[in-house]
């Protein structure tokens, strides 16, 4: 896959014509036209037109030789999320398949009361459930992530690191599990570039320095192999494969080695025509150079779960350095590069997937995702379980009949038993490993032969098994058993645990265990009723702490605001004590609090008679505003409101500033008449200015000193009596 080339729609269609019919490419053209129209006037952070991104995603899917629906999904993958297009429109205009694929990669809408991490976990959960139903969902998502990583330089550093970290945690391991190494390596190398640029560029530089030396060495090896193979008439393609940067980096970190201590920077890859030739070539390689003990792996006889097949051996090369050799057929190489995508590839307009049963069996771990998500009510917990089961290192063990079972590293015989069947797990009483009895918490090792001992008279799982087992599948089945067997007991136990957690937060349960609040929480976690929720807590399907946190979130938020307000008031009192000499008589009393620094706000100039409120400022005491002042109406400002009232509003002789705006017809003498009217009311004027426009409209601003709203009304009424005056209003700055 080209990394730097920016494809046009014509490039994508031309590539697609190599294996799709004219009818199919016409379908792709329609998808492009639809996406281009939906994304018009949208741009990416790079400044490019947004449609460039879907075209590149579709181009990556064409390189994988995907079917027309999947490529159309690549063109359309962002239209539902980022435009007004609906899934119903996609289904009507294209088909159900395309709409389903686009829905699978579309993020959820904004959900209230959730952290960014929780929303992201929900999005991933939705994607994984969708891909468990149709594997093509993740192929679109991987293509989308690959192009996003290629253009990551246009985002801020913080976002680059967050996206790169997510790529290493989720998308690169997923590409590995699906066997798509061509995408996996690029995702890992690009993520490393942003997460640890210093090491990335250092490795790049060191690789360049030794390139000539390595290339001449590999040429020598390839020449020797070609000569040997020609003697026995075996046709083969031989090439040198440089190690990827991220794998070198991981080896340096894991084995605590310097770059010059890593010898297998290059591998020789030999592609032949048949499996028989693979083993013949292996014999020749071992005849030419001495194999290193323990470094031979036969993935042809025993393929990896991601469908990968190859022979791997490491020999002592011509110059005494270790040399890795990979031997496989051309069909195996296609699967090694494109993995599961190779099984969905289109050849001459039809999907290639000859051995469908075998294909499904090899992906049983994928189908288990549906079971996990049904049992796990919290998205973040679901993602953690998924990372353990899908993305950890694996261990391969055998049944007594010789079938290979794949489990995460650290698994125990109980995990093996539940992988075989739920009833086998529930009735387990012991296990033999390699013919010898071992405890149920024995850690399985590669190559172990496991025989599970069961009894129909078994009492079923123990609660301790939840601590012993490692796989989500086993834990899920054990929890299901307790859920069915002890519902009433679990409800009671769960309620006690939730009550205990609520009290630990300093809140009485009766304060939050209202019907409305309980309904809000159990629906949030997809339970049918509160009994189901308590039962789930009882059998450890969800933690009591999580339920208690959700039940008390509103009351804790309210209390926190009250506490913040009290702390702020204390700060204001302290500041007032320090600033007594600067205190002015505002004529306003703060309810229940003495000796506060209080000042009238200049933005709205409140006067006695106005409805007022106090606002706790940072460092300047309490400012008093008119109740309708827009400057204190935001959600954040309301949290700092205080109740205040006027002192002796009727008898107070203190004067207050008020700004008035007078508009009217611009004629000679209008300003003089306004000033004279104000003077007649024996009111002081502190500021005057005015202007007029081409339409002969005059606007006069005056600032006057008044005692209260009654005084103000008299002045306003007097000004309104002047000929050609249209309006008189108080202004807010």
């Amino acid at each position: 896959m080209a990394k730097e080339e920016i494809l046009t729609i014509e490039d994508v269609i031309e590539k697609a014509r190599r294996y799709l019919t004219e009818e199919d490419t016409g379908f792709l053209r329609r998808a492009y036209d639809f996406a281009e129209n939906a994304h018009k006037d949208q741009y990416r952070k790079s400044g490019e037109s947004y449609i460039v991104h879907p075209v590149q995603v579709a181009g990556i899917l064409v390189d994988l030789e995907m079917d027309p629906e999947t490529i159309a999904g690549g063109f359309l993958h962002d239209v539902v999320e980022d435009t007004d297009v609906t899934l119903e429109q996609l289904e009507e205009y294209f088909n159900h398949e395309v709409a389903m694929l686009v829905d699978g990669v579309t993020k959820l809408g904004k959900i209230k009361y959730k952290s960014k991490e929780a929303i992201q976990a929900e999005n991933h959960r939705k994607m994984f459930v969708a891909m468990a139903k149709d594997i093509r969902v993740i192929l679109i998502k991987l293509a989308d992530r690959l192009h996003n990583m290629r253009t990551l330089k246009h985002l801020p550093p913080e976002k680059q690191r967050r996206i790169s970290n997510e790529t290493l945690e989720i998308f690169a391991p997923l590409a590995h599990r699906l066997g798509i190494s061509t995408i996996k390596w690029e995702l890992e190398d690009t993520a490393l570039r942003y997460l640890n640029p210093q090491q990335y560029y250092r490795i790049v530089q060191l690789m360049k320095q030794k390139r000539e030396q390595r290339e001449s060495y590999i040429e020598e090896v390839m020449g020797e192999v070609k000569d040997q193979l020609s003697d026995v008439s075996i046709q083969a393609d031989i090439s040198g494969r440089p190690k990827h940067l991220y794998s070198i980096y991981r080896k340096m970190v894991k084995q605590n080695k310097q770059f010059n201590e890593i010898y297998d920077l290059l591998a020789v890859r030999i592609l032949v025509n048949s499996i028989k030739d693979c083993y013949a070539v292996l014999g020749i390689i071992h005849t030419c150079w001495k194999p290193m003990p323990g470094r031979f792996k036969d993935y042809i006889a025993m393929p990896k779960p991601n469908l990968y097949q190859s022979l791997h051996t490491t020999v002592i090369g011509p110059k005494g350095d270790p040399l890795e050799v990979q031997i496989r057929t051309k069909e195996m190489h296609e699967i090694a590069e494109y993995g599961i995508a190779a099984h969905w590839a289109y050849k001459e307009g039809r999907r290639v997937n000859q051995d469908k049963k075998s294909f499904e069996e090899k992906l049983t771990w994928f189908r288990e995702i549906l079971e996990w998500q049904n049992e796990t009510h919290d998205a973040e917990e679901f993602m953690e379980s998924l990372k353990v089961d899908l993305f950890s290192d694996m261990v391969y063990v055998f049944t007594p009949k010789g079938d290979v079972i794949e489990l995460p590293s650290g698994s125990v015989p109980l995990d093996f038993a539940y992988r075989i069947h739920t009833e086998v797990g529930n009735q387990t009483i012991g296990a033999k490993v390699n013919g010898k009895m071992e405890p149920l918490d024995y850690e399985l090792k590669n190559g172990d032969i496991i025989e599970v001992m069961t009894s129909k008279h078994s009492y079923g799982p123990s609660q301790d098994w939840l601590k012993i087992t490692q796989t989500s599948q086993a834990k899920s089945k054990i929890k299901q058993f307790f859920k069915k067997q002890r519902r009433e007991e679990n409800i009671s136990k769960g309620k006690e645990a939730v009550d205990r957690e609520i009290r630990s937060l300093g809140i009485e349960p009766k304060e939050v265990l209202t019907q409305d609040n309980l309904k809000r929480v159990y629906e949030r976690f997809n339970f049918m009723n509160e009994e189901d929720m308590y039962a789930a807590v009882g059998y450890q399907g969800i933690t009591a702490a999580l339920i208690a946190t959700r039940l008390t979130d509103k009351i804790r938020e309210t209390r926190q605001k009250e506490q913040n307000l009290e702390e702020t008031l204390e700060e204001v009192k302290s500041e007032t004590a320090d600033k007594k000499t600067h205190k002015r008589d505002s004529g306003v009393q703060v309810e229940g609090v003495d000796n506060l620094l209080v000042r009238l706000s200049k933005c709205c100039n409140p006067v006695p008679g106005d409805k007022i409120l106090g606002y706790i400022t940072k460092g300047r005491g309490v400012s008093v505003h008119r109740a309708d002042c827009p400057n204190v109406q935001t959600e954040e400002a309301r949290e700092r409101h205080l109740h205040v009232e006027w002192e002796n509003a009727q008898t107070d002789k203190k004067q207050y500033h008020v700004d008035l705006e007078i508009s009217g017809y611009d004629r000679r003498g209008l300003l003089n008449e306004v000033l004279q009217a104000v003077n007649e009311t024996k009111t002081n004027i502190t500021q005057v200015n005015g202007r007029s426009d081409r339409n002969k409209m005059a606007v006069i601003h005056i600032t006057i000193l008044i005692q209260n709203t009654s005084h103000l009304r008299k002045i306003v009424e007097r000004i309104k009596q002047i000929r050609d005056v249209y309006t008189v209003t108080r202004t807010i700055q």
Side-chain angles (χ1 to χ4, degrees), residues 669-718:
L670 179 64
L671 178 58
N672 284 335
E673 287 183 32
V674 169
L675 297 177
Q676 187 177 347
V678 175
N679 282 329
E680 286 173 3
T681 63
K682 296 181 179 178
T683 301
N684 291 329
I685 300 172
T686 61
Q687 191 174 339
V688 179
N689 63 65
R691 69 178 189 279
S692 64
D693 59 23
R694 293 177 182 175
N695 299 320
K696 299 293 284 179
M697 277 293 295
V699 178
I700 301 167
H701 287 104
I702 65 171
T703 303
I704 57 178
L705 290 172
I706 64 162
Q707 293 172 1
N708 50 43
T709 49
S710 299
H711 185 183
L712 177 61
R713 275 196 296 274
K714 288 176 187 174
I715 299 165
V716 170
E717 290 303 320
R718 179 65 189 86

Side-chain angles (χ1 to χ4, degrees), residues 17 124 128 182 370 408 416 497 535 549 577 620 629 643 661 676:
R17 281 201 181 101
H124 286 147
F128 278 107
T182 186
L370 284 175
F416 175 88
T549 301
R620 292 182 296 156
C629 178
H643 181 73
E661 181 180 279
Q676 187 177 347

Side-chain angles (χ1 to χ4, degrees), residues 424-677:
V424 173
N426 286 342
Q427 294 177 6
T428 297
I429 56 170
K432 283 184 180 179
V433 179
N434 304 324
K436 178 185 170 189
M437 286 297 293
E438 295 286 357
L440 292 178
D441 61 354
Y442 166 86
E443 189 173 317
L444 301 180
K445 298 175 182 62
N446 278 321
D448 282 346
I449 301 170
I450 318 298
E451 184 183 352
V452 178
M453 321 293 288
T454 61
S455 168
K456 290 181 180 178
H457 305 295
S458 163
Y459 290 108
S462 154
Q463 284 281 2
D464 291 338
W465 288 12
L466 287 169
K467 298 172 186 172
I468 295 172
T469 51
Q470 297 298 308
T471 62
S472 297
Q473 183 194 22
K475 291 181 189 294
S476 170
K477 299 299 182 186
I478 295 165
K479 288 172 185 175
Q480 274 184 26
F481 176 86
F482 289 124
K483 180 180 178 182
K484 289 174 185 172
Q485 297 293 314
R486 306 172 184 171
R487 180 172 170 80
E488 290 303 319
E489 182 186 333
N490 283 328
I491 291 172
S492 174
K493 191 191 296 182
K495 191 170 188 322
E496 285 175 16
V498 170
D499 286 0
R500 194 162 52 246
E501 286 292 337
I502 291 171
R503 286 194 181 94
S504 75
L505 296 170
I507 299 167
E508 277 301 309
K510 64 182 179 182
E511 292 182 70
V512 291
L513 296 180
T514 62
Q515 281 305 114
D516 289 345
N517 200 27
L518 282 165
K519 187 178 183 201
R520 175 180 70 88
V521 175
Y522 70 65
E523 286 181 350
R524 157 69 182 81
F525 290 108
N526 301 321
F527 292 109
M528 293 298 292
N529 51 52
E530 63 185 90
E531 287 189 345
D532 284 353
M533 180 180 75
Y534 285 135
V537 174
Y539 65 75
Q540 298 180 29
I542 192 168
T543 64
L546 187 58
I547 297 295
T549 301
R550 295 290 182 188
L551 284 167
T552 58
D553 54 5
K554 291 186 176 178
I555 194 168
R556 284 186 292 111
E557 186 180 341
T558 303
R559 288 187 179 183
Q560 187 60 47
K561 286 177 182 176
E562 290 171 356
Q563 185 182 341
N564 292 343
L565 201 60
E566 286 174 14
E567 288 172 0
T568 309
L569 268 174
E570 288 303 318
E571 288 174 18
V572 172
K573 284 183 186 178
S574 175
E575 289 161 2
T576 302
D578 295 338
K579 299 178 182 178
K580 277 183 181 176
T581 53
H582 300 288
K583 189 184 171 193
R584 292 176 293 180
D585 182 13
S586 62
V588 174
Q589 172 65 40
V590 179
E591 186 180 47
V593 184
D594 295 325
N595 300 324
L596 278 182
L597 185 65
V598 179
R599 62 186 184 83
L600 300 178
S601 172
K602 290 182 180 178
C603 64
C604 55
N605 285 328
V607 298
D610 284 333
K611 287 185 178 178
I612 54 174
L613 57 84
Y615 175 78
I616 304 172
T617 66
K618 293 177 181 176
R620 292 182 296 156
V622 176
S623 66
V624 178
H625 294 255
R626 278 167 41 195
D628 60 350
C629 178
N631 295 327
V632 287
Q633 299 305 323
T634 64
E635 195 66 40
E636 186 181 353
R638 287 195 184 101
E639 294 176 9
R640 305 176 75 88
H641 284 185
L642 269 181
H643 181 73
V644 294
E645 54 189 34
W646 295 105
E647 292 178 329
N648 304 320
Q650 301 304 319
T651 59
D652 189 11
K653 297 300 179 184
K654 179 176 168 58
Q655 293 189 317
Y656 301 86
H657 286 85
V658 169
D659 297 316
L660 292 180
E661 181 180 279
I662 302 149
S663 62
Y665 176 68
D666 184 22
R667 61 173 171 79
R668 183 176 294 175
L670 179 64
L671 178 58
N672 284 335
E673 287 183 32
V674 169
L675 297 177
Q676 187 177 347

Side-chain angles (χ1 to χ4, degrees), residues 331-350:
E331 290 77 13
M332 290 174 189
H333 180 62
E334 186 180 356
I335 290 173
E337 290 293 296
Y338 301 111
I340 204 168
H343 284 261
W344 279 92
Y346 255 55
K347 303 289 183 188
E348 299 171 358
R350 64 186 180 84

Side-chain angles (χ1 to χ4, degrees), residues 262-289:
I262 296 173
Y263 296 105
D264 54 341
L265 293 174
L266 272 178
V268 173
R269 181 177 289 148
I270 303 171
L271 304 183
V272 293
N273 294 323
S274 69
I275 293 176
K276 181 183 74 174
D277 288 347
C278 289
Y279 289 101
V281 170
L282 176 70
I284 290 168
I285 295 294
H286 283 180
T287 304
C288 289
W289 298 291

Side-chain angles (χ1 to χ4, degrees), residues 53-54 57 72-81 102 105-106 140 144:
H53 170 62
V57 171
F75 280 122
L76 300 163
H77 74 276
D78 275 337
V79 295
V80 173
E81 187 178 328
V102 172
V105 292
T106 300
I140 297 172
D144 172 49

